[in-house]
Amino acid sequence: QAAIEWIIDNPAQFLRLSFKKFLRTWSPLPNYEQAQSLPHQLALFCSYVPVMLLAFYGLWRTRRHWRYAWLPLVPVITIALLHMVVMGSIRYRLPAMACIIIFSGKGLSSLTRRWIDGANDRASYLK
């Protein structure tokens, strides 16, 4: 009850804190002290950022077929919204990563297909 009253009394601060929790949940790098070494952060960054970039591209490629793409997005959206209200941390995004990897696969297959089609088009010019 006290939390709800605080949110009603401080809506701007609640939104600011929610955004901060969102960023903390989806950050490529953790905040905890044991993960501050450069090799650890580099490994986390290099494994997370490509997956997310491919996922965004895969999601973009499925925009015309949104009726099929919404189901894997439900856990991602639920986790994002839930941890904007409660506690935000990168460990809480792990259940959503399985669904995000689906879109990464779509993004990777789309890029691969475009690369193969482009190579075939370039090869046909050489004949």
Side-chain angles (χ1 to χ4, degrees):
Q1 183 66 29
I4 294 173
E5 290 175 10
W6 182 87
I7 291 170
I8 292 170
D9 293 340
N10 303 290
Q13 191 172 2
F14 171 73
L15 290 175
R16 186 177 55 78
L17 291 173
S18 295
F19 183 68
K20 190 174 182 179
K21 289 178 186 180
F22 177 84
L23 292 178
R24 184 174 295 150
T25 301
W26 297 101
S27 170
L29 301 174
N31 292 334
Y32 59 92
E33 188 176 321
Q34 294 84 358
Q36 297 305 314
S37 70
L38 183 62
H40 192 242
Q41 287 189 348
L42 191 60
L44 288 171
F45 189 82
C46 290
S47 64
Y48 178 72
V49 172
V51 169
M52 293 303 282
L53 291 174
L54 285 170
F56 284 127
Y57 183 65
L59 187 59
W60 175 255
R61 297 290 295 167
T62 60
R63 70 189 182 280
R64 293 188 183 137
H65 306 288
W66 63 269
R67 289 176 187 90
Y68 305 109
W70 72 269
L71 189 58
L73 282 176
V74 170
V76 176
I77 293 168
T78 302
I79 287 170
L81 292 175
L82 176 67
H83 291 289
M84 286 174 68
V85 176
V86 291
M87 185 172 180
S89 178
I90 63 170
R91 67 178 174 229
Y92 298 125
R93 73 174 179 227
L94 289 179
M97 289 306 290
C99 298
I100 290 171
I101 288 171
I102 293 170
F103 290 106
S104 292
K106 171 61 178 167
L108 184 60
S109 70
S110 295
L111 283 176
T112 305
R113 175 59 45 206
R114 291 181 85 185
W115 182 72
I116 289 170
D117 289 346
N120 289 339
D121 289 344
R122 287 188 295 277
S124 67
Y125 290 134
L126 297 175
K127 291 182 181 181

